[in-house]
Amino acid sequence: MNDQSNSIDPGTAMTTTTMTMIQALRSAMDVMLERDDNVVIYGQDVGYFGGVFRCTEGLQVKYGKSRVFDAPISESGIVGTAVGMGAYGLRPVVEIQFADYFYPASDQIVSEMARLRYRSAGEFISPLTLRMPCGGGIYGGQTHSQSPEAMFTQVCGLRTVMPSNPYDAKGLLIASIECDDPVIFLEPKRLYNGPFDGHHDRPVTPWSKHPQSAVPDGYYSVPLDKAVVTRPGNDVTVLTYGTTVYVAQVAAEETGVDAEVIDLRSLWPLDLETIVDSVKKTGRCVVVHEATRTCGFGAELVALVQEHCFHHLEAPIERVTGWDTPYPHAQEWAYFPGPTRVGAALKRVMEV
Amino acid sequence: MNEYAPLRLHVPEPTGRPGCQTDFSYLRLNDAGQVRKPPIDVEPADTADLSSSLIRVLDGEGNALGPWAADIDPQVLRQGMRAMLKTRIFDSRMVVAQRQKKMSFYMQSLGEEAIGTAQALALNRTDMCFPTYRQQSILMARDVSLVEMICQLLSNERDPLKGRQLPIMYSVREAGFFTISGNLATQFVQAVGWAMASAIKGDTKIASAWIGDGATAESDFHTALTFAHVYRAPVILNVVNNQWAISTFQAIAGGESTTFAGRGVGCGIASLRVDGNDFLAVYAASRWATERARRGLGPTLIEWVTYRAGPHSTSDDPSKYRPADEWRHFPLGDPIARLKQHLVTLGQWSEQEHQAVTAELEAEVIAAQKAAEQFGTLSNGLIPSAASMFEDVYKEMPDHLRRQRQELGI
Ligand SMILES: Cc1ncc(C[n+]2csc(CCOP(=O)(O)OP(=O)(O)O)c2C)c(N)n1
Ligand SMILES: [Mg+2]
């Protein structure tokens, strides 16, 4: 199924396979089910069928029904039972079918999962990973497109992670499963089958054309608190994550602005050092995310940059985000912060 | 030594999977006419037997049998037949239009047409339905404009919902059809609130709540039962058990060796389990429940046993998780064929009339589709304006949205 290549990943010295994001996520769960008997995977449609996005395909056959199984359609039930399993000592990895459907589980996430360690002074922990596909770009309308990351980053005790490529997806998911803190693992569904730069009218690029699709076959992890510079540059720092990493990169190429694009990967806790070093170098900053603007994660990023880099800033920090409306269906591309809007912001900050 | 054997997690499995026929004996059927019909002021606890047996009226030959075989005006049956046929024809054409990329998505109700149709005919138009995405038959029974429905599906310039909602997430207040949510089960408890409001205001309108077997697992379902019971809300609580929730079998929702109707009895609600593919049974049970609600006798929960004959949606491929020809073996058959057989027995329908009505309805749907497509389709870009995206977030557009709209350059 996967395209085995003979190349060796220099970081891990392992053979690699060309994978899509879906295959990389599956591979992470496979590795962890194999390594740790306490890992269990469940959620709606994830068992026999292998998930509506096929991320868990084949895992039930390989590990059995008490390790990988279907759950009733109750997000509060899924997260609540996962908290109970975590208290017993398991390491549940649950799938919420779409991030748009986590709301019924809010109480279990915010008041329970996130605070078990604190309120029991470490007697009980929630070593859970909640996987959720997020983001738009698939004509999913308002209930299959949301990016609710800021609702999680505001909750003390949660880690919030969002990979943008297969290599990071596998490494970050393994790190999340191993982590003793609860992790919200957001998967930009528009990236499942290829990097997407916002040019929705152009042919889809497959992952196989992208270097980050060379995924080591075995166990490795990517740290949960390290951002990565995906495009070095000198003019302006772009802080982003998920799908808009590719939008920012293409906007830099198209405008000729020498932007330094930082893929945050871990939203919270945040790699502030990488951000501050870059903004001090460039003196300018643009924040890009797909989520709504007001009180979005970008607001926190802007606050931190001005706290830490005020004297280095040469222009006001700009935000390019989804609009403050529910995610529309037909007007999806007027809503999505695509390369035109990001490019315009890059040019604006350069004119100051 | 521990005297106990190690515990094992029980994960229910369907009896059938691809390449392996389903054993439908788990359905526990009754023959037509076998199940009693209590008075409408029955004590909820005394419906326990009705929540585990299966109310059926039509037998295999198309005869109407037993206490639930009410005298129905043949006009209502003919009307029901037309609405069911129209629903099926509409669905099959819209699935094709989706394949042609005129719309982004579609969900058909193949095999479940009797339930929404017969209940809509048993309700008044001023009663409010709180549907899921699989009750388009209510709109057909209430003769909602096909052109408007298709404009919604195409997300075009005349889409009454301004391109904001996924196809099939209709909202037709004038036809007593509440705006459909993508988040499962939320409407179920809202219907109870609407019914409570009718009682608070001394009205005589009732509400009809809808949910699928799978979605009954959500808390909102259980909460709805509690509230409906506590306030004796004038509401019909419909559970459409079509055996599947995407790839998961109804046992994963909690249907193994119990029934969804049984949940109602446990909450103090009169509850029935009914053959959902039997138009006469659906109509009779719905009439019984509407009378109870309208006379202040409280809620009724009805589990409709049916089968999701098509894929979950146009994004789904059921041959991956269930036998491909399963509908053919489903013991409750096809609701349209069964009503047709009954009407023919009554001398109210014939094969020729069936062909003629089918052709007439096909022409009606085709004409409506043509008319709707003149206002655009998602693929040709004739969609509601980007500016309209900022409307209706609030009653009056606040400054921040006005600024964002300007930023978009419109
Ligand atoms: C809160 C929530 N969780 C998950 C989903 C995804 N989802 C959409 S339909 C569906 C299956 C519903 O099955 P059922 O209730 O039996 O209705 P049916 O599709 O059979 O009519 C699921 C899991 C959702 N829409 N909302
Ligand atoms: Mg169902």
Side-chain angles (χ1 to χ4, degrees), chain A residues 45-58 70 95, chain B residues 247:
Chain A
D45 301 290
V46 306
Y48 184 89
F49 184 51
V52 294
F53 291 103
R54 322 318 314 280
C55 291
T56 56
E57 191 179 8
D70 287 325
E95 178 175 306
Chain B
S247 77

Side-chain angles (χ1 to χ4, degrees), chain B residues 212-214 240-245:
Chain B
D213 49 304
V240 181
N241 181 358
N242 62 8
Q243 314 307 315
W244 290 94

